[in-house]
Amino acid sequence: MSCDVATAIAVLWLAAAPAPAGAGISPPPPPPGVSVAREPLFADIVARAGALKTAVEAFKSAPPTPAFKQGITELAALNMQGHLELAKRGTDGDLKCILKGIAEDLPLKLKALETAATDKDRLQAVQDLGYLLNDNVEVITTPPEGQV
């Protein structure tokens, strides 16, 4: 399955439901079916996405702050780093593709928030960005298939 298709499926599925330590050193890949959520890079992504998800609601009536915009930019870069790390490990799972899709979508959702011309557009942009940030947390923290 291509990354674009896998990303689209995962984002739609999740939306319906709603600089790390040791940089440059790759931990060994987890055994099949084991979550990467506890690895520093992925734990950092989860923490940042969760914090930004909490903060995004404030922008229903105000423009995003420079700190928030920087946070989204950094999170997008970390998601791409996660994608590249999983690709380097030879991981052929959906998470690799989803992280790439999130890395590409975060700047687009931020731009939609920044350019929202009406209250309705702003509310939609806040919701879309909130869903994407929530998805970012869930795709990493949800146990791989076969784990409970």
Side-chain angles (χ1 to χ4, degrees):
M1 179 180 310
S2 79
C3 282
D4 293 335
V5 173
T7 300
I9 291 169
V11 168
L12 289 174
W13 176 76
L14 288 171
I25 301 173
S26 299
V34 175
S35 175
V36 296
R38 291 191 175 143
E39 293 181 25
L41 170 62
F42 300 99
D44 190 23
I45 291 171
V46 168
R48 288 174 187 238
L52 290 166
K53 167 68 171 94
T54 301
V56 75
E57 293 296 316
F59 306 115
K60 286 181 179 176
S61 59
T65 64
F68 181 81
K69 293 190 278 188
Q70 180 66 31
I72 292 292
T73 300
E74 290 172 1
L75 181 60
L78 286 172
N79 273 280
M80 185 57 74
Q81 185 179 346
H83 162 77
L84 294 172
E85 176 61 31
L86 293 175
K88 183 169 75 174
R89 295 179 189 182
T91 303
D92 190 29
D94 290 340
L95 180 58
K96 174 182 69 173
C97 294
I98 294 167
L99 292 175
K100 181 179 180 187
I102 291 173
E104 294 170 346
D105 286 349
L106 281 169
L108 299 175
K109 299 299 183 190
L110 176 60
K111 183 72 170 173
L113 178 58
E114 292 177 306
T115 61
T118 67
D119 289 342
K120 182 180 177 184
D121 291 343
R122 176 174 294 284
L123 179 60
Q124 185 64 55
V126 165
Q127 289 175 340
D128 290 348
L129 188 52
Y131 289 143
L132 186 60
L133 291 164
N134 188 63
D135 291 350
N136 204 179
V137 171
E138 289 185 359
V139 298
I140 293 173
T141 59
T142 300
E145 197 170 303
Q147 278 191 343
V148 179

mmCIF file with all atom_site columns, all heavy atoms in Angstrom, residues 20-27 81 85 88:
data_model
loop_
_atom_site.group_PDB
_atom_site.id
_atom_site.type_symbol
_atom_site.label_atom_id
_atom_site.label_alt_id
_atom_site.label_comp_id
_atom_site.label_asym_id
_atom_site.label_entity_id
_atom_site.label_seq_id
_atom_site.pdbx_PDB_ins_code
_atom_site.Cartn_x
_atom_site.Cartn_y
_atom_site.Cartn_z
_atom_site.occupancy
_atom_site.B_iso_or_equiv
_atom_site.pdbx_formal_charge
_atom_site.auth_seq_id
_atom_site.auth_comp_id
_atom_site.auth_asym_id
_atom_site.auth_atom_id
_atom_site.pdbx_PDB_model_num
ATOM 1  N N   . PRO A 1 20 ? 15.417 14.704 19.888 1.00 0.00 ? 20 PRO A N   1
ATOM 2  C CA  . PRO A 1 20 ? 15.440 13.664 20.898 1.00 0.00 ? 20 PRO A CA  1
ATOM 3  C C   . PRO A 1 20 ? 16.827 13.286 21.409 1.00 0.00 ? 20 PRO A C   1
ATOM 4  O O   . PRO A 1 20 ? 17.811 13.493 20.741 1.00 0.00 ? 20 PRO A O   1
ATOM 5  C CB  . PRO A 1 20 ? 14.813 12.483 20.147 1.00 0.00 ? 20 PRO A CB  1
ATOM 6  C CG  . PRO A 1 20 ? 15.154 12.735 18.723 1.00 0.00 ? 20 PRO A CG  1
ATOM 7  C CD  . PRO A 1 20 ? 15.194 14.237 18.556 1.00 0.00 ? 20 PRO A CD  1
ATOM 8  N N   . ALA A 1 21 ? 16.828 12.696 22.607 1.00 0.00 ? 21 ALA A N   1
ATOM 9  C CA  . ALA A 1 21 ? 18.092 12.209 23.170 1.00 0.00 ? 21 ALA A CA  1
ATOM 10 C C   . ALA A 1 21 ? 18.649 11.130 22.260 1.00 0.00 ? 21 ALA A C   1
ATOM 11 O O   . ALA A 1 21 ? 17.910 10.316 21.715 1.00 0.00 ? 21 ALA A O   1
ATOM 12 C CB  . ALA A 1 21 ? 17.862 11.654 24.570 1.00 0.00 ? 21 ALA A CB  1
ATOM 13 N N   . GLY A 1 22 ? 19.937 11.111 22.092 1.00 0.00 ? 22 GLY A N   1
ATOM 14 C CA  . GLY A 1 22 ? 20.574 10.079 21.275 1.00 0.00 ? 22 GLY A CA  1
ATOM 15 C C   . GLY A 1 22 ? 20.370 10.290 19.791 1.00 0.00 ? 22 GLY A C   1
ATOM 16 O O   . GLY A 1 22 ? 20.372 9.332  19.033 1.00 0.00 ? 22 GLY A O   1
ATOM 17 N N   . ALA A 1 23 ? 20.159 11.533 19.372 1.00 0.00 ? 23 ALA A N   1
ATOM 18 C CA  . ALA A 1 23 ? 19.964 11.798 17.950 1.00 0.00 ? 23 ALA A CA  1
ATOM 19 C C   . ALA A 1 23 ? 21.136 11.241 17.175 1.00 0.00 ? 23 ALA A C   1
ATOM 20 O O   . ALA A 1 23 ? 22.271 11.360 17.575 1.00 0.00 ? 23 ALA A O   1
ATOM 21 C CB  . ALA A 1 23 ? 19.832 13.303 17.711 1.00 0.00 ? 23 ALA A CB  1
ATOM 22 N N   . GLY A 1 24 ? 20.830 10.620 16.062 1.00 0.00 ? 24 GLY A N   1
ATOM 23 C CA  . GLY A 1 24 ? 21.869 10.047 15.234 1.00 0.00 ? 24 GLY A CA  1
ATOM 24 C C   . GLY A 1 24 ? 22.145 8.591  15.586 1.00 0.00 ? 24 GLY A C   1
ATOM 25 O O   . GLY A 1 24 ? 22.810 7.894  14.853 1.00 0.00 ? 24 GLY A O   1
ATOM 26 N N   . ILE A 1 25 ? 21.659 8.148  16.724 1.00 0.00 ? 25 ILE A N   1
ATOM 27 C CA  . ILE A 1 25 ? 21.824 6.755  17.132 1.00 0.00 ? 25 ILE A CA  1
ATOM 28 C C   . ILE A 1 25 ? 20.457 6.112  17.083 1.00 0.00 ? 25 ILE A C   1
ATOM 29 O O   . ILE A 1 25 ? 19.543 6.522  17.789 1.00 0.00 ? 25 ILE A O   1
ATOM 30 C CB  . ILE A 1 25 ? 22.400 6.641  18.559 1.00 0.00 ? 25 ILE A CB  1
ATOM 31 C CG1 . ILE A 1 25 ? 23.752 7.336  18.634 1.00 0.00 ? 25 ILE A CG1 1
ATOM 32 C CG2 . ILE A 1 25 ? 22.480 5.187  18.981 1.00 0.00 ? 25 ILE A CG2 1
ATOM 33 C CD1 . ILE A 1 25 ? 24.302 7.424  20.036 1.00 0.00 ? 25 ILE A CD1 1
ATOM 34 N N   . SER A 1 26 ? 20.312 5.115  16.235 1.00 0.00 ? 26 SER A N   1
ATOM 35 C CA  . SER A 1 26 ? 19.030 4.456  16.092 1.00 0.00 ? 26 SER A CA  1
ATOM 36 C C   . SER A 1 26 ? 18.931 3.290  17.056 1.00 0.00 ? 26 SER A C   1
ATOM 37 O O   . SER A 1 26 ? 19.804 2.434  17.077 1.00 0.00 ? 26 SER A O   1
ATOM 38 C CB  . SER A 1 26 ? 18.863 3.915  14.673 1.00 0.00 ? 26 SER A CB  1
ATOM 39 O OG  . SER A 1 26 ? 18.915 4.965  13.756 1.00 0.00 ? 26 SER A OG  1
ATOM 40 N N   . PRO A 1 27 ? 17.850 3.276  17.845 1.00 0.00 ? 27 PRO A N   1
ATOM 41 C CA  . PRO A 1 27 ? 17.662 2.090  18.675 1.00 0.00 ? 27 PRO A CA  1
ATOM 42 C C   . PRO A 1 27 ? 17.319 0.919  17.772 1.00 0.00 ? 27 PRO A C   1
ATOM 43 O O   . PRO A 1 27 ? 16.859 1.120  16.650 1.00 0.00 ? 27 PRO A O   1
ATOM 44 C CB  . PRO A 1 27 ? 16.485 2.470  19.572 1.00 0.00 ? 27 PRO A CB  1
ATOM 45 C CG  . PRO A 1 27 ? 15.814 3.609  18.912 1.00 0.00 ? 27 PRO A CG  1
ATOM 46 C CD  . PRO A 1 27 ? 16.819 4.261  18.015 1.00 0.00 ? 27 PRO A CD  1
ATOM 47 N N   . GLN A 1 81 ? 11.134 13.077 10.788 1.00 0.00 ? 81 GLN A N   1
ATOM 48 C CA  . GLN A 1 81 ? 12.269 12.336 11.339 1.00 0.00 ? 81 GLN A CA  1
ATOM 49 C C   . GLN A 1 81 ? 11.831 10.933 11.758 1.00 0.00 ? 81 GLN A C   1
ATOM 50 O O   . GLN A 1 81 ? 12.545 9.955  11.523 1.00 0.00 ? 81 GLN A O   1
ATOM 51 C CB  . GLN A 1 81 ? 12.848 13.098 12.534 1.00 0.00 ? 81 GLN A CB  1
ATOM 52 C CG  . GLN A 1 81 ? 14.097 12.476 13.103 1.00 0.00 ? 81 GLN A CG  1
ATOM 53 C CD  . GLN A 1 81 ? 14.648 13.281 14.276 1.00 0.00 ? 81 GLN A CD  1
ATOM 54 O OE1 . GLN A 1 81 ? 14.262 14.420 14.518 1.00 0.00 ? 81 GLN A OE1 1
ATOM 55 N NE2 . GLN A 1 81 ? 15.556 12.678 15.006 1.00 0.00 ? 81 GLN A NE2 1
ATOM 56 N N   . GLU A 1 85 ? 13.246 7.515  10.266 1.00 0.00 ? 85 GLU A N   1
ATOM 57 C CA  . GLU A 1 85 ? 13.809 6.507  11.174 1.00 0.00 ? 85 GLU A CA  1
ATOM 58 C C   . GLU A 1 85 ? 13.185 5.137  10.917 1.00 0.00 ? 85 GLU A C   1
ATOM 59 O O   . GLU A 1 85 ? 13.884 4.134  10.831 1.00 0.00 ? 85 GLU A O   1
ATOM 60 C CB  . GLU A 1 85 ? 13.604 6.925  12.635 1.00 0.00 ? 85 GLU A CB  1
ATOM 61 C CG  . GLU A 1 85 ? 14.066 5.890  13.640 1.00 0.00 ? 85 GLU A CG  1
ATOM 62 C CD  . GLU A 1 85 ? 15.539 5.551  13.572 1.00 0.00 ? 85 GLU A CD  1
ATOM 63 O OE1 . GLU A 1 85 ? 16.352 6.432  13.208 1.00 0.00 ? 85 GLU A OE1 1
ATOM 64 O OE2 . GLU A 1 85 ? 15.895 4.397  13.876 1.00 0.00 ? 85 GLU A OE2 1
ATOM 65 N N   . LYS A 1 88 ? 14.467 3.816  7.671  1.00 0.00 ? 88 LYS A N   1
ATOM 66 C CA  . LYS A 1 88 ? 15.852 3.343  7.799  1.00 0.00 ? 88 LYS A CA  1
ATOM 67 C C   . LYS A 1 88 ? 15.897 1.956  8.434  1.00 0.00 ? 88 LYS A C   1
ATOM 68 O O   . LYS A 1 88 ? 16.744 1.132  8.091  1.00 0.00 ? 88 LYS A O   1
ATOM 69 C CB  . LYS A 1 88 ? 16.647 4.343  8.639  1.00 0.00 ? 88 LYS A CB  1
ATOM 70 C CG  . LYS A 1 88 ? 18.125 4.011  8.781  1.00 0.00 ? 88 LYS A CG  1
ATOM 71 C CD  . LYS A 1 88 ? 18.899 5.158  9.395  1.00 0.00 ? 88 LYS A CD  1
ATOM 72 C CE  . LYS A 1 88 ? 18.647 5.251  10.866 1.00 0.00 ? 88 LYS A CE  1
ATOM 73 N NZ  . LYS A 1 88 ? 19.489 6.254  11.546 1.00 0.00 ? 88 LYS A NZ  1
#
